[in-house]
Amino acid sequence: MSTPENGGAVYRRYLSAVMLHGHAGAKAVGMGATDLYALNVLGLGGSMTPGELGRRTGLTTGPTTRLIDRLEQAGYVRRVPDPDDRRKIIVELVARPGGLDEVLAPARQKIGAIVQGYSPEEQAVLFDYFARAADAYLDATTELHDKRA
């Protein structure tokens, strides 16, 4: 059981485990972690410009172009003209890596069992935390990028 004194270490261990699993999952389906992360960004955020994809993945222009090239060549995304401004390109998600659900299933099942062990009220707190923490991390990321710019 964690205490306020070791809560920071417990949380860092959790974040490290999540990142390590993400890297292992990507490798298991023959991808790099950044590529799989980009597919997740597109899956959650929908189609977007290369610039927006770069901002959301933390990549600069050149690496973003190479990322999109790899994903397009693998058949996961396609570039299409922006219907509102034909000078712009939109990146659309068109497929997911084969076997990804199977690779991620064991962790999903284990985490699902943990969550099911909580009462509905506790689950509501957990999911409220996940939503609010995600927003906090995204805001902090924007602040870090703004300071560097």
Side-chain angles (χ1 to χ4, degrees), residues 27-101:
K27 187 174 182 179
V29 294
M31 298 184 78
T34 301
D35 293 11
L36 186 58
Y37 176 68
L39 293 179
N40 189 53
V41 166
L42 287 165
L44 291 170
S47 300
M48 60 189 69
T49 65
E52 181 64 19
L53 183 60
R55 279 187 291 283
R56 292 188 186 198
T57 58
L59 298 174
T60 58
T61 305
T64 299
T65 299
R66 289 188 294 279
L67 166 80
I68 296 167
D69 289 345
R70 285 192 306 274
L71 296 176
E72 188 173 45
Q73 185 173 31
Y76 300 131
V77 303
R78 68 178 171 201
R79 292 173 169 104
V80 297
D82 183 330
D84 297 325
D85 184 348
R86 299 197 57 84
R87 297 170 295 172
K88 290 184 181 178
I89 296 296
I90 300 293
V91 180
E92 290 183 343
L93 181 65
V94 295
R96 292 169 34 99
L100 182 61
D101 287 334

Side-chain angles (χ1 to χ4, degrees), residues 93-148:
L93 181 65
V94 295
R96 292 169 34 99
L100 182 61
D101 287 334
E102 292 80 10
V103 165
L104 300 180
R108 288 176 177 167
Q109 290 167 353
K110 290 174 184 182
I111 298 302
I114 292 168
V115 171
Q116 290 301 312
Y118 290 98
S119 71
E121 294 80 14
E122 291 169 325
Q123 289 179 25
V125 170
L126 284 171
F127 289 111
D128 176 66
Y129 164 77
F130 293 145
R132 293 170 60 194
D135 290 343
Y137 273 118
L138 292 171
D139 289 347
T141 301
T142 298
E143 289 172 15
L144 286 172
H145 287 161
D146 290 349
K147 283 182 183 177
R148 286 182 29 203

